[in-house]
Amino acid sequence: MTTDANAPWLIVGLGNPGPGYAANRHNVGFMVADLLAERIGGSFKRAQKAQAQVIEGRIGPPGPANRRVVLAKPASYMNLSGGPVTGLRDFYKVPTANIVAIHDELDIDYGVLRLKLGGGDNGHNGLKSMTKAMGPDYHRVRFGIGRPPGRMQVADFVLKDFSSAERKELGYFVDRAADAVEALVIEGLERAQSTYNS
């Protein structure tokens, strides 16, 4: 799929707003977005035209590989992410193929990444809302959190904080996910997949 080289990219970390959710597994998209914000050197501000926090900046080396990006965290709850993302897409005139959703993924082992374009939502309410609002043809950076242990319900598992054992490696995995987002935007999906789809 070809995209306009001058069009901005919209990079969306998915999560739930508020301090009570900040360290939850379901909020790993926000964690990656926060690290990307540090790298860009900006701080999130309330968006004018959508229910979201945004930073505008650039990713990549000087020259033709440099990309204009809008980094966003929806200020709605996860299951309503489609509205804010669509509002930002329309305001910044971002092609759907230049949208990247960063999200937790149950069917991948903890810390493993998978990058892809399009596909189903696999029961993820943030993706379900985005796909309903604008179709499935956006990029996903899927951050593995593994399956719940024993008989724990999925909803309880994703809304719990990472375990102390998981937290030991979380910083490394979030850093790698941020690298993967940058590679996707700068180098394209296939090259980023070959590096990060471990």
Side-chain angles (χ1 to χ4, degrees):
M1 182 179 295
T2 58
T3 58
D4 175 0
N6 297 314
W9 284 75
L10 175 58
I11 301 168
V12 183
L14 293 180
N16 285 306
Y21 296 101
N24 288 179
R25 292 182 179 92
H26 219 23
N27 270 44
V28 75
F30 274 16
M31 296 173 198
V32 177
D34 286 338
L35 180 55
L36 287 166
E38 276 181 43
R39 292 181 181 185
I40 288 172
S43 53
F44 282 100
K45 295 179 176 60
R46 186 86 187 173
Q48 298 275 319
K49 301 290 181 182
Q51 194 182 358
Q53 301 280 331
V54 296
I55 296 173
E56 295 177 59
R58 301 194 82 86
I59 284 178
N66 194 261
R67 301 281 184 261
R68 188 159 64 97
V69 298
V70 179
L71 187 58
K73 298 193 297 185
S76 63
Y77 285 100
M78 179 75 88
N79 61 348
L80 300 172
S81 301
V85 175
T86 308
L88 292 170
R89 177 200 66 180
D90 294 347
F91 180 70
Y92 289 103
K93 298 181 172 53
V94 180
T96 302
N98 278 24
I99 296 173
V100 182
I102 312 162
H103 64 91
D104 57 304
E105 179 61 62
L106 287 160
D107 286 339
I108 304 174
D109 290 341
Y110 174 60
V112 173
L113 296 175
R114 291 279 186 275
L115 283 64
K116 69 175 198 169
L117 174 64
D121 57 54
N122 204 21
H124 191 288
N125 288 330
L127 297 182
K128 196 176 290 184
S129 177
M130 284 180 62
T131 297
K132 185 177 178 186
M134 61 188 187
D137 298 325
Y138 53 91
H139 289 88
R140 297 102 190 274
V141 173
R142 305 157 74 205
F143 186 111
I145 60 169
R147 302 293 304 183
R151 297 186 178 180
M152 185 186 288
Q153 295 295 312
V154 164
D156 294 334
F157 179 69
V158 300
L159 292 175
K160 276 198 174 4
D161 291 358
F162 285 100
S163 69
S164 55
E166 288 169 334
R167 283 198 297 273
K168 288 180 179 145
E169 295 182 292
L170 182 60
Y172 168 77
F173 290 140
V174 167
D175 192 65
R176 193 162 182 272
D179 290 346
V181 173
E182 291 182 344
L184 169 61
V185 170
I186 296 163
E187 300 171 16
L189 179 62
E190 284 185 22
R191 288 190 64 180
Q193 283 175 324
S194 69
T195 306
Y196 292 98
N197 278 19
S198 43

